């Protein structure tokens, strides 16, 4: 059995061809040719991905999701995932952050444990109405400006 790759922040930055940072987070906009890998992998980060256009096939654990924009995808570090192309090329924005990043501002060390959807393979995907998509887009824009 092959070992499943695990990507640290620096390895994710390298894979996405971004400059190295000494931070526990980063934001990336992925145009029509985002990083695809049929190979299952993990990250050492939490991931929030906003699918703004197109669609993508997202596999989490043994569960596959065909996701159409607009949608939000939320994934914890322990989740084994992969992405597969479809004929409708996606446009996405993603925020990658470590648990340490959040714990700097929250005294509750179990803060992320309250969000069970981060670990549940059938609950990573949140289709968005137009109203919620606009709100999520504004939030992602504000996070981009801050980060």
């Amino acid at each position: 059995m092959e070992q499943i790759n695990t990507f640290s922040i620096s390895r994710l930055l390298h894979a996405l061809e971004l400059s190295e940072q000494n931070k526990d987070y980063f934001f990336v906009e992925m145009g029509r040719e985002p990083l695809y890998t049929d190979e299952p992998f993990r990250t050492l980060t939490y991931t929030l991905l906003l699918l703004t256009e197109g669609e993508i096939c997202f596999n989490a654990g043994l569960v596959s999701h065909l996701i159409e924009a607009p949608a939000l995808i939320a994934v914890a570090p322990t989740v084994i995932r992969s992405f597969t192309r479809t004929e409708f090329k996606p446009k996405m924005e993603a925020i990658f952050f470590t648990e340490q990043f959040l714990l700097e501002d929250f005294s509750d060390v179990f803060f992320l444990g309250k969000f069970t959807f981060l670990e549940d393979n059938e609950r990573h995907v949140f289709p968005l109405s137009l109203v919620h998509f606009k709100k999520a887009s504004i939030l992602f824009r504000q996070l981009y400006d801050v980060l």
Side-chain angles (χ1 to χ4, degrees), residues 64-76:
S64 293
H65 306 272
L66 180 59
I67 307 166
E68 296 178 4
L72 182 67
I73 303 168
V75 189

Side-chain angles (χ1 to χ4, degrees), residues 47-52 58 67-75 93-95 117 123-129 132-133 136-137 139-140:
T47 306
L48 295 177
L49 192 142
L50 181 63
L51 180 62
T52 60
F58 170 68
I67 307 166
E68 296 178 4
L72 182 67
I73 303 168
V75 189
E93 299 174 2
I95 300 169
F117 61 83
R123 297 185 62 207
H124 293 294
V125 179
F126 304 93
L128 299 174
S129 67
H132 289 115
F133 172 65
S137 294
L139 179 60
F140 266 68

Side-chain angles (χ1 to χ4, degrees), residues 45-116:
T45 65
Y46 288 87
T47 306
L48 295 177
L49 192 142
L50 181 63
L51 180 62
T52 60
E53 295 178 23
E55 69 180 24
I56 192 164
C57 184
F58 170 68
N59 306 297
L62 299 175
V63 180
S64 293
H65 306 272
L66 180 59
I67 307 166
E68 296 178 4
L72 182 67
I73 303 168
V75 189
T78 56
V79 176
I80 298 169
R81 82 270 332 241
S82 65
F83 295 91
T84 310
R85 294 176 193 267
T86 70
E87 65 180 282
F88 301 104
K89 294 182 180 178
K91 185 174 179 187
M92 301 180 268
E93 299 174 2
I95 300 169
F96 298 90
F97 59 93
T98 64
E99 187 171 14
Q100 185 61 36
F101 170 69
L102 281 185
L103 291 179
E104 289 175 8
D105 292 324
F106 294 101
S107 59
D108 181 0
V109 295
F110 301 108
F111 175 74
L112 288 171
K114 296 174 185 174
F115 302 102
T116 56

